[in-house]
Amino acid sequence: MSIAILIFSLTEGLRWGRGTDFNNYYLAYQEISKYKFNTDFEPFFTFLVLACNYLSLDYQSFVFLLSFILILSATIFLQNHKDYLIYSLPLLAFYLFLAENLMRWFLAFSFILISLYYLERKKYLLYIVVSILAFLTHYASIIPIIFIFIIFHIKKIIFPPLVALSIFCILLLTFKPNSMAFIAELIQQIQIANRFSGYQQDAESWFTGENLDMGRLSLSYILNCIYTIVVGYKVFHHTTKRNEIYIYNLALIGSILAPALNQIELFMRINFLFYIFQFYIIAHCFYHVLNKKKKISWPYKLFTWIVLLNFIKMTVISMPFKESPDSLLFIWDSNGKSMINN
């Protein structure tokens, strides 16, 4: 695990100028450094920035710290699920790349992962404390915190594969993000804090998908969702372990709703914290299918190899050669600049 923490921390912590969040949070870092707790940012996020200031750490060090906290929290969570590390750690790193453009959101998710470690071990006081830290990092994290807590206490798989696939296909084929325009109209009529006024003025873009680059699911996303629904059910439906059932249910919800919510910026952020648990389900399936831990018929094995080869293709070919040049920048590309557009 130490090697995984080191590689991820260096790869992500030494990035520079990738995505809008890197640049926006540079400005936020300067604002908090100047005005301390007299800003609209959440108190624990503000505390981390001021702690870096006290230690004379610059913004790049803060980016490294967030990357380190994220991968560290993931390895803490996986302490309860060590059997599948050979597959789960590489897959998790793949799913965490979205954190580059959702920095504070994934910092809150880091604490959610640590809280789940304690919840699974029935250390409820520590679970509550760490969940509060997540909330004080990003107030919107209260939504996944509550939903995950509820799903944790469901003792069986919530949808059989036929029902799950039906919902998934209906949303994939029929959902149009412009149907959410009415929510944007309601948001624009509500009085909110100044910090969120920009979101309010641009509510139609946030709720109808105009602000989102991801848009409709790619073939790889569709493949992973169907694999989670079908092969995941095959592997998990006999388990009685609560710590496995709730993770499958989280990944199942994220997979089913992905065709719709992936097209809506605000909902995508929330749903991704469910969808991301695909990494565990797929790792679990790889372990049992490829290591022959369970007797599984050849169609499931074939599907598993297709998904595995697709991950290899995305990692080796798609990501390095199809990303924009700005998506592969490191601190040595900064030429002395603090952010990409200054």
Side-chain angles (χ1 to χ4, degrees):
M1 281 196 181
S2 299
I3 295 175
I5 292 173
L6 178 63
I7 293 174
F8 185 89
S9 298
L10 291 174
T11 303
E12 291 300 292
L14 298 181
R15 73 185 188 271
W16 177 83
R18 299 186 202 168
T20 56
D21 260 19
F22 184 94
N23 301 294
N24 289 340
Y25 277 102
Y26 169 77
L27 299 175
Y29 190 86
Q30 303 307 315
E31 179 184 349
I32 294 171
S33 300
K34 181 177 180 180
Y35 296 106
K36 308 297 190 282
F37 284 95
N38 298 315
T39 69
D40 290 327
F41 287 98
E42 287 85 345
F44 192 70
F45 181 77
T46 300
F47 168 79
L48 286 178
V49 172
L50 296 179
C52 287
N53 281 182
Y54 179 78
L55 296 171
S56 301
L57 300 177
D58 60 8
Y59 174 65
Q60 190 65 53
S61 302
F62 181 68
V63 172
F64 187 93
L65 175 65
L66 298 194
S67 301
F68 174 75
I69 292 173
L70 180 57
I71 191 61
L72 178 65
S73 68
T75 56
I76 291 172
F77 170 77
L78 288 172
Q79 288 293 318
N80 293 339
H81 309 278
K82 291 183 178 180
D83 290 344
Y84 319 112
L85 288 178
I86 189 173
Y87 299 112
S88 60
L89 273 177
L91 286 172
L92 177 60
F94 179 87
Y95 278 85
L96 288 179
F97 278 116
L98 187 62
E100 290 185 357
N101 211 33
L102 295 171
M103 290 170 59
R104 189 163 49 89
W105 185 238
F106 271 85
L107 177 60
F109 180 60
S110 300
F111 294 116
I112 291 176
L113 284 175
I114 297 172
S115 75
L116 292 178
Y117 167 82
Y118 291 121
L119 182 60
E120 291 178 0
R121 294 188 171 221
K122 299 181 180 180
K123 297 182 177 180
Y124 299 117
L125 179 59
L126 289 171
Y127 163 74
I128 292 171
V129 170
V130 180
S131 295
I132 290 172
L133 290 181
F135 173 69
L136 296 178
T137 300
H138 200 305
Y139 291 144
S141 66
I142 191 64
I143 299 172
I145 288 171
I146 291 173
F147 274 99
I148 291 173
F149 182 77
I150 293 171
I151 293 167
F152 179 83
H153 290 88
I154 297 175
K155 298 180 180 179
K156 61 181 182 179
I157 294 175
I158 54 179
F159 293 115
L162 185 59
V163 173
L165 273 177
S166 298
I167 299 172
F168 176 83
C169 291
I170 290 171
L171 292 176
L172 181 67
L173 297 173
T174 65
F175 182 81
K176 304 294 182 185
N178 55 19
S179 62
M180 305 299 293
F182 75 96
I183 296 182
E185 294 177 2
L186 293 176
I187 293 295
Q188 289 172 338
Q189 297 175 18
I190 299 174
Q191 186 71 27
I192 62 175
N194 289 335
R195 179 175 150 217
F196 301 103
S197 59
Y199 294 104
Q200 184 181 42
Q201 294 170 7
D202 201 26
E204 186 171 354
S205 295
W206 287 94
F207 280 93
T208 60
E210 294 178 15
N211 237 10
L212 190 59
D213 294 331
M214 295 173 68
R216 296 185 66 84
L217 293 186
S218 66
L219 180 60
S220 293
Y221 271 87
I222 294 171
L223 194 67
N224 293 341
C225 289
I226 295 176
Y227 185 81
T228 299
I229 293 169
V230 176
V231 183
Y233 181 84
K234 179 70 175 178
V235 172
F236 279 84
H237 77 285
H238 287 308
T239 187
T240 57
K241 298 178 181 177
R242 175 187 286 182
N243 289 355
E244 292 185 348
I245 292 174
Y246 91 92
I247 297 176
Y248 179 74
N249 281 333
L250 291 174
L252 185 63
I253 292 170
S255 300
I256 292 172
L257 298 180
L261 302 191
N262 204 65
Q263 301 182 64
I264 303 170
E265 173 75 14
L266 294 182
F267 293 154
M268 179 276 291
R269 297 180 179 211
I270 295 171
N271 189 62
F272 194 81
L273 298 194
F274 300 98
Y275 176 89
I276 197 173
F277 285 98
Q278 275 188 4
F279 90 90
Y280 178 81
I281 304 307
I282 295 175
H284 198 294
C285 292
F286 283 179
Y287 175 80
H288 285 287
V289 175
L290 301 178
N291 293 8
K292 300 179 181 179
K293 297 296 182 180
K294 289 187 177 182
K295 293 183 179 179
I296 295 180
S297 58
W298 70 265
Y300 294 100
K301 294 179 182 178
L302 178 61
F303 198 179
T304 297
W305 277 106
I306 291 172
V307 171
L308 175 60
L309 292 173
N310 186 59
F311 270 113
I312 294 173
K313 181 201 70 118
M314 287 191 290
T315 305
V316 176
I317 299 174
S318 299
M319 294 180 66
F321 296 104
K322 292 186 178 180
E323 293 289 336
S324 66
D326 288 353
S327 301
L328 303 173
L329 295 175
F330 287 90
I331 55 173
W332 47 82
D333 300 306
S334 66
N335 294 320
K337 296 188 292 184
S338 300
M339 52 189 286
I340 200 167
N341 58 349
N342 75 339

